[in-house]
Amino acid sequence: MKKVILITGASAGMGKDFARHLLADGHIVYGAARRLDKMEDIRKLGVKILEMDVTDETSMVNGVDTIIKTEGRIDVLVNNAGFGSYGPFEDVSIKDAKYQLDVNVFGAVRLSQLVIPYMRKQHFGRIINISSIGGKITTPLGGWYHASKFALEALSDSMRNEVEQFGIDVVVIEPGGVKSEWSTIAADNLKKTSGNPVYKSLIDRFAVSFKKTEANNADPLVIVNLVRKAIQSKKPKTRYSGGYMAKPALFMRWLLPDRLFDKILMSQLK
């Protein structure tokens, strides 16, 4: 059935891919982002675009109100807006750390709060939170990014058990390596943040590791298809994972003790 879908972070990367493919599937798709000009291409395809900053209350309220006034309902929220702030824990400012959490956590949670009343009334809804295998596994230099994704995972679990009684499903998507601008942006953030020479060796090794994995990263369609499953399934799974190294990495994290997992992880940065 045709569904009304809101996707945040639709101006680039996976968000734009979600919008394009879900529109092609026959859904009514709203793409939201701060910059409307970056969504002009998907607007021409038929995606309805909204100017929205997930750190700004007014823009989020106005966006949801626009959808309800136009469509009369909202069936699916895809909380995709997010970015990776990387840098040594010692160097990342608390201001930057708070902004990371504002975008990756509080924006997703506030939008969920705004759509739940409408989903509850129609006794149907899907809230799909785009997390990461970085919501289960940590790497050095990504502490605040991982903190944001761990938090999103925990909040999703709690929310799921609260709203299931109303016919609302909360689903977490955990991508591994995917071809996108994400790693380039994260690497750039790392360089900007890190002026402390004591971490230079680790940072250089981490940057090389980033570059090595890029060639192996999966096509974004892998994650698009996971979102499709979360939307189309009568009873979706609570979590879907996919992309480069997603399943083996999650399995190793589940299986191995902390120290052994750390040793294997750090060996990849030599």
Side-chain angles (χ1 to χ4, degrees):
M1 290 180 61
K2 181 185 290 187
K3 293 180 173 63
V4 178
I5 301 172
L6 168 60
I7 302 166
T8 64
S11 61
M14 289 194 299
K16 185 171 280 190
D17 288 319
F18 296 155
R20 189 182 295 115
H21 286 282
L22 293 175
L23 179 73
D25 290 345
H27 299 296
I28 298 168
V29 177
Y30 283 78
R34 289 180 299 172
R35 294 187 58 180
L36 295 177
D37 60 303
K38 295 292 185 180
M39 299 186 287
E40 184 61 22
D41 53 344
I42 57 174
R43 184 193 67 78
K44 289 178 179 178
L45 295 175
V47 174
K48 301 182 181 186
I49 63 174
L50 297 169
E51 184 175 6
M52 184 185 293
D53 181 343
V54 297
T55 67
D56 179 72
E57 172 77 7
T58 300
S59 73
M60 288 189 283
V61 170
N62 289 344
V64 172
D65 284 349
T66 295
I67 296 172
I68 295 301
K69 287 174 183 176
T70 306
E71 311 296 342
R73 72 186 201 275
I74 182 164
D75 302 309
V76 179
L77 167 63
V78 182
N79 279 315
N80 171 71
F83 72 103
S85 179
Y86 274 69
F89 186 82
E90 185 179 351
D91 293 348
V92 177
S93 71
I94 294 301
K95 180 182 177 182
D96 287 346
K98 287 180 176 179
Y99 185 66
Q100 174 78 105
L101 295 176
D102 276 344
V103 175
N104 288 15
V105 182
F106 292 109
V109 170
R110 182 59 184 137
L111 265 179
S112 299
Q113 289 179 329
L114 291 171
V115 304
I116 283 172
Y118 300 105
M119 292 179 174
R120 182 160 37 79
K121 286 179 184 177
Q122 65 199 32
H123 206 73
F124 175 83
R126 297 276 160 87
I127 295 172
I128 301 172
N129 292 328
I130 307 300
S131 179
S132 166
I133 62 170
K136 293 282 184 64
I137 297 166
T138 63
T139 63
L141 306 175
W144 288 108
Y145 171 72
H146 293 298
S148 73
K149 293 303 185 181
F150 270 65
L152 187 62
E153 298 255 349
L155 287 161
S156 298
D157 287 339
S158 185
M159 192 193 316
R160 181 180 69 250
N161 286 302
E162 292 177 14
V163 301
E164 189 175 23
Q165 62 182 312
F166 306 120
I168 303 169
D169 291 294
V170 179
V171 180
V172 173
I173 306 289
E174 298 169 333
V178 177
K179 294 184 189 302
S180 73
E181 298 172 349
W182 188 93
S183 59
T184 300
I185 294 169
D188 288 345
N189 285 339
L190 175 59
K191 292 175 185 176
K192 289 176 186 175
T193 304
S194 309
N196 193 329
V198 301
Y199 295 106
K200 186 179 185 306
S201 174
L202 177 61
I203 290 164
D204 289 346
R205 284 180 282 136
F206 194 82
V208 169
S209 178
F210 252 26
K211 290 289 184 184
K212 281 182 180 178
T213 61
E214 280 182 352
N216 297 315
N217 285 346
D219 189 281
L221 188 60
V222 171
I223 311 303
V224 170
N225 286 334
L226 296 181
V227 172
R228 280 174 164 151
K229 286 181 181 180
I231 293 171
Q232 295 168 359
S233 298
K234 186 174 181 180
K235 190 65 176 175
K237 295 179 180 179
T238 59
R239 282 173 171 77
Y240 295 89
S241 62
Y244 177 61
M245 285 298 293
K247 292 187 185 301
L250 289 171
F251 177 73
M252 285 192 295
R253 173 65 283 197
W254 170 81
L255 179 68
L256 301 177
D258 291 346
R259 293 292 186 189
L260 179 55
F261 186 83
D262 288 351
K263 187 175 182 180
I264 293 170
L265 176 68
M266 295 305 290
S267 73
Q268 301 304 305
L269 301 181
K270 288 183 179 179

